[in-house]
Amino acid sequence: MRRHERRGQGPTLRPPELPTGATSPCVVADGSRASRPSHSSITAATSDASRRSTIAALAGCLAACLVTALWLSPALGRGVLLYRDFVQVPRPVLSPAALGIDGRAPRAVPLDAVTAVLHPLVSSGVQQQLLLLGSLALAGCGTAMLLRRHGLAAAVTGAVLATWNPYTAERLLLGQPPTLLGWAMIPWLVLAVRLPGSTRRRLLATALAAAPAALTPFGGLLAALIVLLTWAFALPPAQRPATSTAGATTPSTTTSSTGPAAPAAPSRRTDLGRGREGIAFAALAIAWCLPWIVVGVLGTHDAGQRSGAAAFAVRHDGPLAVLDVLGGGGVWAPAAGLASRTEGAAVLPSLVLLAVAVLVALRPAPPMRRADPTTRSDHPDRPGPNERQGQNERPEHHPREVVVLARRHRRLLLAAVLLPPLGVLALATPVGLDAWAWAQNVPGVGLLRDTHRLLGPSALAVALLVGAGVGALTRSIRAPRSRVALTGAALTVIACSLAVLGAPEAPARTRAAYRPVTFPAGWQQAVDALGDRTTLVLPWQPFRRQGWAGPQPFLDPLPLALHGRAITATTLTVQRGGETYVVGQDDDALLHAWARGDLAALRRAGIEAVVAWDDTPGTSPAPAAAGSPEIHDPLRVWFLRR
């Protein structure tokens, strides 16, 4: 007796064979009968969905590239960029400064070493320009990729909001493109971890996406956090809904006449496999953080300074400043702040976008639909049955598993929107400053002392949620396709206009800040003459200003050009709200020895040459015992011979 007969069931009934293109009846949620789509109609629908997703992604990437060109096109050209912390030299070398073994905090490890290694193939100036452009364009393109299945309006809106916002503007004006590049890789890391296929494929894609972020310690830490969170919140491959190449999601479980069956419980083998995958992702994250971890452990770096907690806290002097932080602004450096953000007219648009993002995250999950997802009207201006239910742009199933997963993602995005600004504002309170100042004594915490950079995930989450909201609202309109397209375009224009009004002067500021410069003719001659000597660099302060480089200050780039060790000042003086914070404790004994002409003390300390910049803030008087410098332009150089 057959198995189904032993269980008291009747024989299995098979539907009759149907010719190609025909449909068979099926039961939908309300008990009525509908036509089951044929294989050819499903293939056509998925192909159409794939085409629309590709167009949406390309449009979003184009929008991101246009914003990047508007902001940073003057940075392209011959030469290198010298702006605040973002500096480079024409011929970088694997110097102690590039390797992070010169006693300073390894904040540019391994970026400077990678630049020196790649210089024979790609000039340092071109590397800088690619990094700068990528810090904006990759954020917008990645956001468009995440939103591509939500429609063209969603992808374009998300891409523009991810690139044009107070956070990106103030980080660029602070001279922080390398850390901004780490932030820009967040969408790509999410895509890599959720890539369909084998674990090996996902690990390889994750390593490639994390490579730009791992150029800086903060970027590496951020990438590790994003990868582990994405993996933790993602369903195991055995429980994920099956996804076609077109992006149409289908249930991974069988359905019956009473509704969808519960997803199959993961087996012990699946649990073990997922556990091994998590260990592999964690090991990979540790691997890309090893360069700066090793340098920090083996080097002579001290813990962070307690004064850094107050010096680099977000701006919080009043209610408007607090609202500015909620909208992605509030950088600690007055010179990097946007003047328009000190007035409510520019803060209000950012708050509107924030409110929209919160509303999208809190909206109810869409109802489950079991009707035919491929049914459409033959008339171009008359919506079909599913189009009247809000399925104009991308008809699809809404199985229970997908709805639950979407709800989990919205909760995670809501946390990303609210927790970073609330957290950094809490650290800016008197109690928070005391706790954060104490935490600076822990090695490694000093990398997070600039709390404004922690607002990056919030800016991306707002872009994703607003973009998804625009896509959902566009699909919900019951109108002909032409009117739906116009509505989507109008919503995109409104959202992008709010982004522009939130940082209106950002393009003018960044275009003026990032312009390539050419070092004077005598620069390389002076560098070659110094060779691998241990060099004392004056004036005794970390930043320089030169007429040939423009009016903006820049971090001293000489240590990146010298084969030997360069001893420079690292103490920062930050003035905020009438108060002065001194961050760092340089040993200025060598400076005093030079000032009083004690050349023997300098020789005993291993100093073999002294370099002084001219026409820059600070003084560096030469003692009579030193005599005349052997090189005068553009640097004054004295050699201390035994």
Side-chain angles (χ1 to χ4, degrees):
M1 184 179 295
R2 295 182 181 179
R3 183 178 303 174
H4 61 261
E5 294 177 353
R6 288 198 303 264
R7 294 183 180 180
Q9 299 176 356
T12 302
L13 299 179
R14 299 181 180 273
E17 296 292 336
L18 296 176
T20 304
T23 61
S24 61
C26 65
V27 180
V28 294
D30 58 1
S32 60
R33 300 178 67 84
S35 296
R36 185 186 303 276
S38 65
H39 176 73
S40 59
S41 61
I42 293 178
T43 302
T46 54
S47 176
D48 186 50
S50 176
R51 180 181 58 83
R52 290 196 301 272
S53 297
T54 302
I55 293 175
L58 291 176
C61 291
L62 178 61
C65 292
L66 289 176
V67 173
T68 302
L70 178 62
W71 282 37
L72 299 172
S73 58
L76 301 177
R78 295 187 60 183
V80 298
L81 300 172
L82 297 176
Y83 179 74
R84 298 182 73 89
D85 291 353
F86 193 49
V87 298
Q88 198 46 257
V89 292
R91 296 182 186 177
V93 297
L94 284 175
S95 62
L99 296 174
I101 57 176
D102 61 343
R104 297 186 296 178
R107 293 189 176 88
V109 174
L111 172 62
D112 291 336
V114 171
T115 302
V117 170
L118 294 180
H119 173 68
L121 302 176
V122 182
S123 68
S124 57
V126 173
Q127 291 185 57
Q128 271 191 304
Q129 293 165 12
L130 292 176
L131 190 153
L132 177 64
L133 298 178
S135 64
L136 270 188
L138 287 175
C141 293
T143 303
M145 288 294 294
L146 287 176
L147 293 172
R148 66 191 185 280
R149 295 188 181 115
H150 292 258
L152 188 146
V156 173
T157 300
V160 173
L161 266 62
T163 50
W164 195 314
N165 58 73
Y167 177 78
T168 55
E170 292 181 351
R171 296 317 297 179
L172 288 174
L173 294 175
L174 197 59
Q176 296 287 320
T179 55
L180 193 64
L181 179 64
W183 163 83
M185 298 310 298
I186 291 178
W188 300 99
L189 290 166
V190 173
L191 289 167
V193 176
R194 294 188 53 80
L195 191 68
S198 64
T199 299
R200 181 178 301 178
R201 184 187 184 196
R202 288 194 292 276
L203 288 172
L204 178 60
T206 301
L208 293 176
L215 291 174
T216 59
F218 177 78
L221 281 175
L222 181 62
L225 178 64
I226 295 301
V227 166
L228 295 179
L229 282 177
T230 304
W231 175 85
F233 276 81
L235 287 176
Q239 292 181 277
R240 292 179 188 171
T243 305
S244 68
T245 56
T249 307
T250 58
S252 59
T253 59
T254 58
T255 59
S256 64
S257 60
T258 58
S267 64
R268 182 178 180 182
R269 182 177 179 181
T270 302
D271 290 339
L272 291 176
R274 180 163 169 79
R276 294 191 187 98
E277 185 180 73
I279 294 174
F281 276 115
L284 181 62
I286 294 174
W288 70 58
C289 292
L290 277 180
W292 61 269
I293 291 178
V294 172
V295 170
V297 171
L298 300 181
T300 59
H301 313 290
D302 297 327
Q305 302 295 319
R306 294 174 63 89
S307 57
F312 303 115
V314 293
R315 190 169 63 91
H316 56 283
D317 50 346
L320 186 59
V322 173
L323 296 177
D324 186 16
V325 173
L326 292 175
V331 69
W332 56 271
L338 299 175
S340 61
R341 303 289 294 181
T342 60
E343 302 177 359
V347 175
L348 182 59
S350 298
L351 294 180
V352 172
L353 292 174
L354 177 66
V356 171
V358 173
L359 290 176
V360 172
L362 295 177
R363 68 185 175 89
M368 194 169 54
R369 306 183 190 278
R370 309 304 303 175
D372 175 15
T374 60
T375 303
R376 281 188 174 272
S377 171
D378 295 332
H379 195 281
D381 293 329
R382 185 180 304 161
N386 286 350
E387 294 178 302
R388 301 189 191 98
Q389 299 174 4
Q391 303 293 321
N392 294 341
E393 196 166 344
R394 185 178 67 88
E396 62 178 357
H397 285 294
H398 289 282
R400 189 179 307 277
E401 299 90 335
V402 179
V403 171
V404 173
L405 186 60
R407 186 183 298 115
R408 295 172 68 194
H409 286 173
R410 290 201 304 273
R411 290 172 181 172
L412 182 61
L413 287 174
L414 180 61
V417 167
L418 298 179
L419 290 183
L422 295 179
V424 300
L425 286 173
L427 291 176
T429 61
V431 176
L433 284 176
D434 291 339
W436 196 233
W438 177 87
Q440 299 302 305
N441 296 320
V442 180
V445 176
L447 295 173
L448 305 177
R449 64 185 183 180
D450 181 1
T451 55
H452 178 264
R453 73 174 79 180
L454 303 179
L455 299 176
S458 178
L460 269 182
V462 168
L464 287 169
L465 286 171
V466 173
V470 168
L473 187 57
T474 302
R475 291 194 304 270
S476 67
I477 297 176
R478 303 177 182 179
R481 292 185 182 180
S482 58
R483 188 175 301 176
V484 171
L486 290 177
T487 303
L491 293 174
T492 300
V493 170
I494 293 174
C496 295
S497 298
L498 290 173
V500 172
L501 293 175
E505 75 271 36
R509 293 283 306 276
T510 55
R511 291 173 68 90
Y514 290 96
R515 293 180 180 272
V517 299
T518 302
F519 277 70
W523 168 268
Q524 196 58 44
Q525 178 185 358
V527 169
D528 293 340
L530 289 168
D532 59 354
R533 293 179 173 87
T534 300
T535 305
L536 176 65
V537 184
L538 301 173
W540 194 249
Q541 63 177 29
F543 282 87
R544 312 296 181 206
R545 183 180 282 114
Q546 296 286 288
W548 50 265
Q552 69 275 3
F554 55 90
L555 193 67
D556 194 334
L558 183 59
L560 300 177
L562 299 180
H563 289 278
R565 181 185 177 191
I567 300 177
T568 61
T570 59
T571 299
L572 294 175
T573 301
V574 180
Q575 296 182 350
R576 298 184 56 182
E579 297 187 15
T580 301
Y581 302 93
V582 179
V583 184
Q585 296 177 352
D586 284 335
D587 184 3
D588 55 0
L590 297 177
L591 172 65
H592 294 307
W594 171 258
R596 64 176 181 267
D598 191 354
L599 303 185
L602 293 177
R603 295 189 186 98
R604 287 193 300 270
I607 302 300
E608 301 171 281
V610 177
V611 171
W613 290 75
D614 286 329
D615 302 326
T616 190
T619 59
S620 55
S628 299
E630 300 186 31
I631 299 177
H632 294 81
D633 185 54
L635 303 171
R636 288 183 295 155
V637 180
W638 294 266
F639 295 104
L640 305 183
R641 296 180 175 85
R642 299 185 182 276

